[in-house]
Amino acid sequence: MFLKTKLVKISKFLYFVLLFILPINLGKHFEIFDSYVGGVLVDYLVPTVFVQDILVVLIIFFWILSGGLKRVLCERDLLKKRHVQYFTLFVFSLFLSTLNSARFVPSIYAWLRLFLYSLLFIYSLVEIPIETYFFKILNIFSLSLLLVSILGIAQFVQKGSVFDNYLVFGEQPYSSATYGVPKESFFGKGVVPSYGLFRHPNIFGGYLSIVLVWVFSFLKNRKFYWIPFLFGCVALLFTFSKISWAVFLFGVFLHILFVKDPGKIKNRKKKAVFLVYFAVVLSLLLPLSSCLTDTENKSISRRANLVAASYKMIENNFLFGVGFNNSTVFIDEYNYAGTDLRFSQPVHNIFLLLFSEGGVFSLIFFALLIWECARNLINSSYFHIYLISFLQILLLGSFDHYFITIHQTLLLFWIVLGLGLQ
């Protein structure tokens, strides 16, 4: 019994360490033959072992040794929950899609990471009682938020990376002269957005927009949260990610709306979910507007063209998709309207991404999972910020792919669900 208790404590300690280092992008990349498409290296096809992967493996390992997984399998009430059932079917359906993939190694490796992180979802669900650990988790995220925000602000001032070395926390070396780095206008001057420890300013902005709402929700009760909140807001501004700005303000608005009249909170939650679901449906119709596909704004036109290309991909691979993490292998073949010579990016919509890569069954099980999660979060009376985070993820996922393709935000997605669905 003593040994089991010790193993549980070790796994929980590693879990909190994982939350703190979640933004880190440090990992070992393995460039293989299947990582190249038409002679060009596609980073989404490069198998990579990240620091977080190792930590999750250790957390699950010590948890299994303590008998945690055995307790879950014997816990019939947990297995009877619909969101757990849909989650299991979703993960299994994506595994089947890997068997249909043209590039099997990148596909199965991406699925193994998804499977590993989904085990962390179960671990969070059963081993991290939110009533006990909520503020400890919030304190960890607020400190991590402060540090990564300071780095982001320093990057903006320096117009590039600070350490300029990937080995330092995984910071991506870049400057205003780096090819592909976006330039923005700030009071008439050309500036370079902040990346933080992420691969793109939009991902950094998406992460900040979610965690900042957590901190904002408790500013009145915990004054020291003002420091990470203010630094985080400045860092969010310097990402120049407009969708992240909008989603952050939406999250703040929902928090104010929910606490204004607690007696009407359930009805307001339902309206918020309906509003977000409506926005998700609209995002799927993005390429149907010619003014979006023909616009001079490359960011918008690229997204619209990728959505249109994904529809064509789905039409030819409706049942089983092209294989999980394989859309970048074929996207250029279907992106007829694209004006870029090469733009091997996944479609910027997680629903179409799962549909095109996993087929109709993966989309159905994911949609059922999302619906069941929303239903449970609406009925939850404890800490509505997880419903807000869930809705923010759906909005961000309707205009980008990183909650499926990038390890930091994929982790954040499963952690939010694991903590929120208790």
Coordinates of all heavy atoms in Angstrom, one line a residue, residues 263-292:
G263 N -28.2 32.7 -11.2 CA -29.4 32.0 -11.4 C -29.8 31.6 -12.8 O -30.5 30.7 -13.1
K264 N -29.2 32.4 -13.8 CA -29.5 32.2 -15.2 C -28.3 31.6 -15.9 O -28.3 31.5 -17.1 CB -29.9 33.5 -15.8 CG -31.1 34.2 -15.3 CD -31.4 35.5 -16.0 CE -32.6 36.2 -15.4 NZ -32.9 37.5 -16.1
I265 N -27.3 31.1 -15.2 CA -26.1 30.6 -15.8 C -26.3 29.5 -16.8 O -25.7 29.4 -17.8 CB -25.0 30.3 -14.7 CG1 -23.7 30.0 -15.4 CG2 -25.5 29.1 -13.9 CD1 -22.5 29.8 -14.4
K266 N -27.1 28.5 -16.4 CA -27.3 27.3 -17.3 C -27.9 27.7 -18.6 O -27.5 27.2 -19.7 CB -28.2 26.3 -16.6 CG -28.3 25.0 -17.3 CD -29.0 23.9 -16.5 CE -29.0 22.6 -17.2 NZ -29.6 21.5 -16.4
N267 N -28.9 28.6 -18.6 CA -29.5 29.0 -19.8 C -28.5 29.8 -20.7 O -28.5 29.7 -21.9 CB -30.7 29.9 -19.5 CG -31.5 30.3 -20.8 OD1 -31.8 29.5 -21.6 ND2 -31.8 31.6 -20.9
R268 N -27.7 30.6 -20.1 CA -26.7 31.4 -20.8 C -25.6 30.4 -21.3 O -25.0 30.7 -22.4 CB -26.0 32.4 -19.9 CG -27.0 33.6 -19.5 CD -26.5 34.5 -18.5 NE -27.4 35.7 -18.3 CZ -27.2 36.6 -17.4 NH1 -26.1 36.6 -16.6 NH2 -28.1 37.6 -17.3
K269 N -25.3 29.4 -20.6 CA -24.3 28.4 -21.1 C -24.8 27.8 -22.4 O -24.1 27.6 -23.4 CB -24.0 27.3 -20.1 CG -23.1 27.7 -18.9 CD -23.0 26.6 -18.0 CE -22.0 26.9 -16.8 NZ -21.8 25.8 -15.9
K270 N -26.1 27.4 -22.4 CA -26.7 26.8 -23.6 C -26.7 27.7 -24.8 O -26.4 27.3 -25.9 CB -28.2 26.4 -23.3 CG -28.3 25.2 -22.3 CD -29.8 24.9 -22.1 CE -29.9 23.7 -21.2 NZ -31.3 23.4 -20.9
K271 N -26.9 29.0 -24.6 CA -26.9 30.0 -25.7 C -25.5 30.2 -26.2 O -25.3 30.3 -27.4 CB -27.5 31.3 -25.2 CG -29.0 31.3 -24.9 CD -29.5 32.7 -24.5 CE -31.0 32.6 -24.2 NZ -31.5 33.9 -23.8
A272 N -24.5 30.2 -25.3 CA -23.1 30.3 -25.7 C -22.7 29.1 -26.5 O -22.0 29.3 -27.6 CB -22.2 30.4 -24.5
V273 N -23.1 27.9 -26.1 CA -22.7 26.7 -26.9 C -23.4 26.8 -28.3 O -22.7 26.5 -29.3 CB -23.2 25.4 -26.1 CG1 -23.1 24.2 -27.0 CG2 -22.4 25.2 -24.9
F274 N -24.6 27.2 -28.3 CA -25.3 27.3 -29.6 C -24.6 28.3 -30.5 O -24.4 28.1 -31.7 CB -26.8 27.7 -29.4 CG -27.5 28.0 -30.7 CD1 -28.0 27.0 -31.5 CD2 -27.7 29.3 -31.2 CE1 -28.6 27.2 -32.7 CE2 -28.3 29.6 -32.4 CZ -28.8 28.5 -33.1
L275 N -24.2 29.4 -30.0 CA -23.5 30.5 -30.7 C -22.2 29.9 -31.3 O -21.9 30.2 -32.5 CB -23.2 31.7 -29.9 CG -22.5 32.8 -30.5 CD1 -23.3 33.4 -31.6 CD2 -22.1 33.9 -29.5
V276 N -21.4 29.2 -30.5 CA -20.2 28.6 -31.0 C -20.4 27.6 -32.0 O -19.7 27.5 -33.0 CB -19.3 28.1 -29.8 CG1 -18.1 27.3 -30.3 CG2 -18.9 29.2 -28.9
Y277 N -21.4 26.7 -31.8 CA -21.7 25.7 -32.8 C -22.1 26.3 -34.1 O -21.7 25.8 -35.2 CB -22.8 24.8 -32.3 CG -22.3 23.7 -31.4 CD1 -21.2 23.8 -30.6 CD2 -22.9 22.4 -31.4 CE1 -20.7 22.8 -29.8 CE2 -22.5 21.4 -30.5 CZ -21.4 21.6 -29.7 OH -20.9 20.6 -28.9
F278 N -22.8 27.4 -34.1 CA -23.2 28.1 -35.3 C -22.0 28.6 -36.0 O -21.9 28.6 -37.2 CB -24.2 29.2 -34.9 CG -24.7 30.0 -36.1 CD1 -25.6 29.5 -37.0 CD2 -24.2 31.3 -36.3 CE1 -26.0 30.2 -38.1 CE2 -24.7 32.0 -37.4 CZ -25.6 31.5 -38.3
A279 N -21.0 29.2 -35.3 CA -19.8 29.7 -35.8 C -19.0 28.6 -36.5 O -18.3 28.8 -37.5 CB -19.0 30.4 -34.8
V280 N -19.0 27.4 -35.8 CA -18.2 26.3 -36.4 C -18.8 25.9 -37.7 O -18.1 25.6 -38.7 CB -18.3 25.1 -35.4 CG1 -17.8 23.8 -36.1 CG2 -17.5 25.4 -34.1
V281 N -20.1 25.8 -37.8 CA -20.8 25.5 -39.1 C -20.4 26.5 -40.2 O -20.1 26.1 -41.3 CB -22.3 25.3 -38.9 CG1 -23.0 25.2 -40.3 CG2 -22.6 24.2 -38.0
L282 N -20.5 27.7 -39.8 CA -20.1 28.8 -40.8 C -18.7 28.6 -41.3 O -18.4 28.9 -42.5 CB -20.3 30.2 -40.2 CG -21.7 30.7 -40.0 CD1 -21.7 32.1 -39.4 CD2 -22.4 30.7 -41.3
S283 N -17.8 28.2 -40.4 CA -16.4 28.1 -40.8 C -16.2 27.0 -41.8 O -15.3 27.0 -42.7 CB -15.5 27.7 -39.6 OG -15.7 26.4 -39.1
L284 N -17.1 26.0 -41.8 CA -17.0 24.9 -42.8 C -17.5 25.3 -44.2 O -17.2 24.7 -45.2 CB -17.9 23.7 -42.3 CG -17.6 23.1 -41.0 CD1 -18.6 22.0 -40.6 CD2 -16.2 22.5 -41.0
L285 N -18.2 26.5 -44.2 CA -18.6 27.0 -45.5 C -17.7 28.1 -46.1 O -18.0 28.7 -47.1 CB -20.0 27.6 -45.4 CG -21.1 26.7 -44.8 CD1 -22.4 27.4 -44.6 CD2 -21.3 25.4 -45.7
L286 N -16.5 28.2 -45.5 CA -15.6 29.2 -45.9 C -15.3 29.3 -47.4 O -15.3 30.4 -47.9 CB -14.3 29.0 -45.1 CG -13.2 30.1 -45.2 CD1 -13.7 31.4 -44.5 CD2 -11.9 29.7 -44.5
P287 N -15.0 28.2 -48.1 CA -14.6 28.3 -49.5 C -15.8 28.6 -50.4 O -15.5 28.9 -51.6 CB -14.1 26.9 -49.8 CG -14.8 26.0 -48.9 CD -15.0 26.8 -47.6
L288 N -17.0 28.6 -49.9 CA -18.2 28.9 -50.8 C -18.3 30.3 -51.1 O -19.0 30.7 -52.0 CB -19.4 28.4 -50.1 CG -19.5 26.9 -49.8 CD1 -20.8 26.5 -49.2 CD2 -19.2 26.1 -51.1
S289 N -17.5 31.2 -50.4 CA -17.6 32.6 -50.7 C -16.4 33.0 -51.6 O -15.3 32.9 -51.2 CB -17.5 33.4 -49.4 OG -17.4 34.8 -49.7
S290 N -16.7 33.4 -52.8 CA -15.6 33.8 -53.8 C -14.8 35.0 -53.3 O -13.7 35.1 -53.6 CB -16.3 34.1 -55.1 OG -17.2 35.2 -55.1
C291 N -15.5 35.9 -52.5 CA -14.8 37.0 -52.0 C -13.6 36.6 -51.0 O -12.7 37.4 -50.8 CB -15.7 38.0 -51.4 SG -16.5 37.4 -49.8
L292 N -13.8 35.4 -50.4 CA -12.7 34.9 -49.5 C -11.6 34.3 -50.3 O -10.4 34.4 -50.0 CB -13.3 34.0 -48.5 CG -14.3 34.6 -47.5 CD1 -14.9 33.5 -46.6 CD2 -13.6 35.7 -46.7

